[in-house]
């Protein structure tokens, strides 16, 4: 899962990043509102963590921009602003959660897991998504297993598999893959085909199907292949 973090306190930024990455999340972090705007306009994330008082655009303004494109993706505000006006404004703009500083890192992790659960429509406390045919994907570790034996994945393969799992039995367009896995950076079409092919070889034949001219689909165990 990809998480975006806006936090201008360098030490806290690093602590949050490390805590999330140790739990298998992929984190993009910035320390000012200008970089935040550039990132959210050009890339897609699964969850956003925003401070309010940061250089450049405020967390409120960044939240407002996120909601213009993504109405339902979770946004957690982390702020030392405890007055009701700031809290009320954050919720009016569409935040899902407001965590007051200082907080324990484990408390933030619990909030993140709660909102990720709503995305996956799955119990992330189990950490494991069963894919059928002996395959499973551990969300916490971002690890693929077949009958409890780990299958090594590259970072981009992990991101692709996460994206496909989030859209199980639905077609994921090549544009979505480009945005999510490559952060919309320039790439050759052959790179995507090559990576998908390598991931297909690590799963059971037919689990990832090519929807010609559109993209790819991960078939769940409940769907006839």
């Amino acid at each position: 899962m990809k998480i975006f973090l806006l936090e201008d306190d360098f030490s806290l930024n690093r602590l949050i990043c490390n805590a999330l990455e140790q739990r298998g999340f992929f984190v993009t972090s910035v320390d000012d509102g200008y970089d935040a705007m550039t990132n959210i306009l050009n890339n897609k994330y699964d969850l956003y963590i925003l401070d309010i008082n940061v250089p450049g655009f405020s967390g409120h303004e960044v939240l407002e921009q996120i909601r213009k494109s993504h109405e339902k993706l979770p946004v957690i505000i982390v702020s030392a602003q405890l007055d009701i006006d700031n809290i009320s404004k954050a919720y009016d703009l569409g935040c899902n959660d407001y965590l007051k500083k200082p907080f324990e890192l484990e408390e933030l992790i619990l909030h993140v897991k709660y909102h990720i659960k709503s995305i996956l429509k799955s119990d992330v406390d189990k950490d494991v998504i069963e894919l059928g045919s002996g395959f499973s994907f551990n969300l916490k570790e971002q690890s693929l297993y077949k009958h409890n034996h780990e299958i090594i994945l590259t970072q981009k393969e992990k991101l692709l598999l996460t994206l496909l799992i989030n859209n199980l039995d639905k077609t994921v367009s090549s544009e979505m893959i480009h945005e999510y896995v490559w952060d919309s950076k320039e790439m050759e079409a052959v790179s995507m085909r090559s990576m998908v092919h390598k991931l297909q070889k690590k799963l059971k034949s037919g689990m990832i199907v090519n929807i010609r001219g559109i993209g790819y689909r991960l078939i769940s165990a409940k769907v006839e292949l």
Side-chain angles (χ1 to χ4, degrees), residues 144-161:
L144 176 66
Y145 293 90
K146 182 177 182 181
H147 300 303
N148 297 320
H149 295 286
E150 184 175 2
I151 299 173
I152 302 301
L153 299 176
T154 66
Q155 184 179 51
K156 281 185 168 54
E157 288 171 347
K158 291 178 181 179
L159 287 172
L160 174 59
L161 188 52

Side-chain angles (χ1 to χ4, degrees), residues 91-197:
Y91 279 107
D92 287 343
L93 290 172
C95 84
N96 300 87
D97 219 338
Y98 196 106
L99 198 57
K100 299 175 183 179
K101 295 180 181 177
F103 53 82
E104 296 289 336
L105 283 175
E106 192 57 36
E107 182 182 3
L108 175 61
I109 297 299
L110 290 172
H111 284 255
V112 168
K113 291 180 70 175
Y114 173 81
H115 291 292
I116 292 293
K117 177 180 177 180
S118 70
I119 298 173
L120 296 176
K121 296 181 176 60
S122 171
D123 186 1
V124 295
D125 289 329
K126 294 191 309 181
D127 293 323
V128 176
I129 302 295
E130 298 294 340
L131 302 176
S133 301
F135 290 94
S136 61
F137 188 66
N138 188 304
L139 290 165
K140 179 179 179 180
E141 300 175 357
Q142 291 285 288
S143 301
L144 176 66
Y145 293 90
K146 182 177 182 181
H147 300 303
N148 297 320
H149 295 286
E150 184 175 2
I151 299 173
I152 302 301
L153 299 176
T154 66
Q155 184 179 51
K156 281 185 168 54
E157 288 171 347
K158 291 178 181 179
L159 287 172
L160 174 59
L161 188 52
T162 298
L163 179 62
L164 291 169
I165 287 173
N166 289 347
N167 295 274
L168 197 61
D169 298 321
K170 299 178 182 178
T171 299
V172 175
S173 70
S174 298
E175 290 76 13
M176 290 171 64
I177 296 173
H178 182 206
E179 180 182 4
Y180 190 82
V181 179
W182 276 270
D183 285 336
S184 299
K185 295 176 182 176
E186 185 175 348
M187 54 157 285
E188 296 182 2
V190 67
S191 297
M192 183 182 300
R193 291 196 298 269
S194 175
M195 187 193 64
V196 172
H197 178 66

